[in-house]
């Protein structure tokens, strides 16, 4: 079972490492992997703006490098009101399974919005048939 408090805490902590000098919009994301481990990532911006990396994708890259390929939930901490993952990150996350998406406001973390990834990306590109 997902330990939501621990997952959110990991997203809160990694958000503090966000490198976002251009947007000043810090994002932290934490994945709950199938084996119960938590892997986190923050957004990493670049002076060549399009090269900036979202927190969700940073977390996915780290998790895959550690050998994780199925995610059960993702927690995202950012903004005065909770933000949902961008379209690109929805597609990247879906590669590793449908999952709970828990979006938490930064600051006092008082607002929590919950979704299923599939609902956020209806008709997303599905490579399953090619595998
Ligand atoms: N960002 C994320 O890290 N995740 C999202 O889901 C939306 C946007 C980052 C990208 C950029 O560094 C900053 O937030 C502002 O767009």
């Amino acid at each position: 079972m997902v330990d939501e408090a621990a997952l959110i805490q990991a997203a809160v902590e990694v958000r503090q490492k966000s490198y976002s000098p251009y947007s000043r919009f810090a994002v932290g994301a934490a994945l709950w992997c199938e084996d119960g481990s938590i892997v986190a990532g923050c957004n990493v911006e670049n002076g060549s703006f399009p090269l900036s990396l979202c927190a969700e994708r940073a977390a996915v890259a780290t998790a895959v490098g550690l050998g994780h390929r199925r995610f059960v939930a993702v927690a995202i901490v950012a903004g005065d009101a909770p933000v949902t993952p961008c379209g690109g990150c929805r597609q990247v996350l879906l590669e590793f399974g449908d999952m709970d998406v828990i979006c938490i406001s930064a600051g006092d973390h008082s607002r929590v919005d919950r979704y299923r990834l599939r609902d956020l990306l209806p008709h997303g590109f599905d490579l399953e048939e090619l595998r």
Side-chain angles (χ1 to χ4, degrees), residues 23-119:
S23 72
R24 305 205 174 280
F25 192 78
V27 185
L31 295 161
W32 186 274
C33 306
E34 205 172 39
D35 69 352
S37 22
I38 293 175
V39 179
C42 60
N43 56 331
V44 182
E45 297 187 343
N46 191 271
S48 177
F49 299 160
L51 298 180
S52 298
L53 182 64
C54 289
E56 296 89 330
R57 267 180 268 188
V60 166
T62 302
V64 171
L66 290 169
H68 304 292
R69 294 197 171 181
R70 301 306 287 176
F71 309 131
V72 176
V74 59
I76 299 148
V77 175
D80 294 331
V83 298
T84 55
C86 75
C89 285
R90 294 177 196 195
Q91 184 71 55
V92 169
L93 289 165
L94 192 64
E95 182 80 17
F96 302 101
D98 195 9
M99 63 193 77
D100 291 322
V101 181
I102 308 161
C103 306
I104 305 104
S105 58
D108 64 3
H109 314 132
S110 61
R111 288 194 49 188
V112 181
D113 292 341
R114 295 163 194 282
Y115 307 89
R116 273 308 271 184
L117 181 58
R118 262 287 177 208
D119 296 331

